[in-house]
Amino acid sequence: MEKLIEKKLLKAEQTFQEWKKVPFKEKQKLIAKAAEIFKSKTENFGKIITDEMNKPISQSIAEVEKCALMMNYYADAENTLIPEKIQSEYSISEIHFVPKGVILGVMPWNFPFWQVLRFATPTILAGNTVVLKHASICFGSGNAIEKVFLEAGFPEGVFQNLEIGHKEVEEVLEHSIIKGVSLTGSGKAGAEVAATAGKNIKKSLLELGGSDAFIVLDDADLDEAAKVGALARLQNCGQTCVAAKRFIVQKNIEFDFLPKFILEYKKYIPSDPHLKETKLSGMARPDLADDLEKQYQKALDNGAEVIIPLERISENEFNPGLIRVAEGNPILLEELFGPLGMVMIAEDDKEALKIANDIPFGLSNSVWTSDKDRQQYFIENLESGTVNINRMTSSDPRFPFGGTKSSGYGTELSLHALKEFVTIKTVLGK
């Protein structure tokens, strides 16, 4: 291991020994200061995001604003880590929540500020310190975040960015100083990190891919579903784990809904990401565009029908595509991470549910119906970490976020996230 990385890990451990003793309210004051810095420099930080991974600048700025909102939520949050006193026959019977130590974050490029801070903020508030391995194209984002923590007055070593590659992750995770890991990324990366963590008996939290269903039933507001559906698929150029990827449409409204949906979909035209009016820009890297093209061809080779062709217009830009896919197409076992959507047709609620659940993923689904009983049917039976009714998926600091099946495990956001990287200690005495 490089001496610089070793030095940073040692610093994180030394800082943890003092940081864990800092009162919860004092930690919150520093988080509030960091939130204010992010809020005051949204355009500066937004430009870093756009320059690194091509996100439209308006969406980049909105990402930074959301980070400030989330941090303010935790700055005002109830302290759920106060020891719990349990009624019992013992004179002392308590449950304590003890921070674990130095936690490694392995974070992706698609939301380079939000994903990092969504993990780091509750983890640090719980008393841990954090080291970050960011995506290689987002080292600028990682360094900018570290500077904000220092500017806000956090002790040096509470948050550190490690400029390391994918190959160094295993070595860092195996280091005795690291006590846990949170990863947001692909299933392959998650499996590798979880295996290393498990081998070394360390806690892991995984937020992995999705192939979320956007179910439109025959009593839905079709105009609104079409408009929101296009945004749900194409925001951030479709490079979002919780993007709507499979549009499951009830058969008897197919010819009413699809023309409206296609009209909205075609409004997304690639343009310069630095212009504030741009809604769609290029993918983060040319190799990712290559991968999407291969998946598109694979889907067609296995019987998918073109509704709107996926047209590549530069090394990383597409005119968005839409295909009709039937059950059994092997493309349904993969995540489409880019501007390509799939339409599937279901006879009724039962078939729509079957199609929605019949994939390896279980992150978040959206159901469009005005009927309360139908809503409840899908709420109770969809296999996902989140169910949205008549809205697209979007994470909210107040509510837990996480998946099931191959979409990962563990909870981010909400007060529940404060307990992800703590040891629950029972204390009993006569």
Side-chain angles (χ1 to χ4, degrees):
M1 181 177 292
E2 292 182 19
K3 287 185 179 180
L4 178 60
I5 302 304
E6 180 78 28
K7 184 178 179 181
K8 287 190 173 186
L9 295 183
L10 289 170
K11 182 64 179 177
E13 173 61 23
Q14 291 166 1
T15 301
F16 166 68
Q17 297 303 329
E18 297 303 319
W19 179 247
K20 66 182 180 181
K21 302 172 188 174
V22 175
F24 193 84
K25 288 287 187 184
E26 295 303 311
K27 295 188 182 85
Q28 287 183 306
K29 290 177 183 177
L30 294 174
I31 288 172
K33 288 180 182 178
E36 186 58 38
I37 294 169
F38 284 117
K39 191 174 180 180
S40 68
K41 299 180 180 180
T42 54
E43 297 218 4
N44 293 345
F45 294 135
K47 187 175 184 302
I48 292 173
I49 294 171
T50 296
D51 288 346
E52 288 188 324
M53 54 76 62
N54 291 319
K55 183 176 295 185
I57 188 67
S58 59
Q59 294 178 26
S60 297
I61 291 170
E63 177 180 337
V64 181
E65 290 173 342
K66 188 173 182 179
C67 290
L69 177 72
M70 177 270 298
M71 295 185 84
N72 278 323
Y73 165 79
Y74 282 108
D76 295 329
E78 174 191 358
N79 183 1
T80 57
L81 302 177
I82 295 172
E84 294 180 15
K85 297 186 183 295
I86 307 298
Q87 289 293 327
S88 73
E89 71 274 24
Y90 300 103
S91 62
I92 303 172
S93 53
E94 299 175 347
I95 300 171
H96 291 218
F97 304 96
V98 183
K100 286 187 175 294
V102 184
I103 309 300
L104 171 64
V106 182
M107 295 293 137
W109 46 262
N110 59 334
F111 289 90
F113 274 61
W114 172 250
Q115 305 279 27
V116 171
L117 291 165
R118 182 178 72 179
F119 144 69
T121 302
T123 302
I124 287 170
L125 181 55
N128 303 288
T129 57
V130 163
V131 291
L132 169 68
K133 187 278 181 236
H134 215 325
S136 57
I137 64 171
C138 293
F139 286 161
S141 293
N143 288 328
I145 294 169
E146 180 175 349
K147 288 177 183 176
V148 170
F149 274 91
L150 293 172
E151 186 180 342
F154 282 85
E156 186 180 348
V158 166
F159 180 98
Q160 296 177 91
N161 184 44
L162 309 180
E163 292 194 8
I164 59 174
H166 173 73
K167 293 179 180 178
E168 287 82 24
V169 171
E170 183 175 7
E171 187 179 5
V172 171
L173 181 50
E174 288 183 331
H175 198 288
S176 60
I177 282 176
I178 299 296
K179 298 301 189 290
V181 59
S182 177
L183 176 140
T184 297
S186 68
K188 181 176 181 294
E192 291 173 356
V193 164
T196 301
K199 183 175 64 175
N200 290 275
I201 322 298
K202 296 182 181 184
K203 173 69 182 290
S204 61
L205 186 157
L206 303 179
E207 196 270 277
L208 308 178
S211 189
D212 294 350
F214 191 98
I215 302 168
V216 185
L217 303 178
D218 58 7
D219 61 343
D221 181 335
L222 301 188
D223 291 319
E224 182 69 7
K227 182 179 179 181
V228 174
L231 174 63
R233 172 64 281 206
L234 297 174
Q235 185 177 20
N236 198 26
C237 199
Q239 300 168 123
T240 306
C241 295
V242 293
K245 299 184 173 87
R246 296 174 300 136
F247 294 86
I248 302 172
V249 181
Q250 191 165 353
K251 187 175 182 179
N252 61 340
I253 57 166
E254 176 184 353
F255 299 109
D256 294 319
F257 175 73
L258 283 184
K260 297 175 185 289
F261 184 45
I262 290 168
L263 183 66
E264 293 293 340
Y265 209 84
K266 287 185 174 180
K267 291 179 181 179
Y268 288 79
I269 301 168
S271 189
D272 182 351
H274 294 91
L275 300 176
K276 287 197 173 179
E277 62 269 25
T278 295
K279 297 195 298 183
L280 181 73
S281 55
M283 295 183 68
R285 300 192 311 261
D287 64 299
L288 299 170
D290 293 341
D291 291 342
L292 188 67
E293 269 194 323
K294 291 173 185 174
Q295 289 180 298
Y296 177 59
Q297 191 58 52
K298 179 178 180 178
L300 297 182
D301 290 345
N302 285 278
E305 300 173 11
V306 175
I307 298 173
I308 305 172
L310 180 73
E311 297 176 333
R312 192 167 184 173
I313 58 175
S314 76
E315 67 173 9
N316 69 332
E317 291 176 300
F318 290 100
N319 286 322
L322 196 62
I323 54 178
R324 180 166 173 159
V325 177
E327 289 185 88
N329 194 312
I331 201 65
L332 294 167
L333 302 177
E334 302 176 15
E335 180 179 30
L336 298 180
F337 216 63
L340 177 62
M342 297 178 282
V343 172
M344 305 182 76
I345 306 300
E347 190 71 38
D348 52 23
D349 294 14
K350 184 177 179 181
E351 186 177 14
L353 177 69
K354 177 180 178 294
I355 293 171
N357 285 340
D358 193 23
I359 58 167
F361 307 101
L363 198 50
S364 181
N365 292 304
S366 180
V367 182
W368 291 73
T369 172
S370 59
D371 186 278
K372 298 294 183 183
D373 290 335
R374 298 177 92 181
Q375 291 173 8
Q376 196 61 34
Y377 172 74
F378 285 96
I379 289 169
E380 292 177 359
N381 293 290
L382 279 169
E383 298 169 353
S384 59
T386 302
V387 176
N388 300 274
I389 305 297
N390 298 324
R391 67 183 298 275
M392 64 180 276
T393 296
S394 60
S395 50
D396 184 311
R398 298 170 296 173
F399 304 110
F401 181 85
T404 186
K405 302 196 292 189
S406 293
S407 290
Y409 50 76
T411 298
E412 295 185 301
L413 300 178
S414 80
L415 296 181
H416 293 279
L418 288 172
K419 294 179 179 177
E420 278 294 331
F421 291 104
V422 299
T423 296
I424 299 177
K425 180 192 288 186
T426 298
V427 179
L428 300 174
K430 293 184 177 180

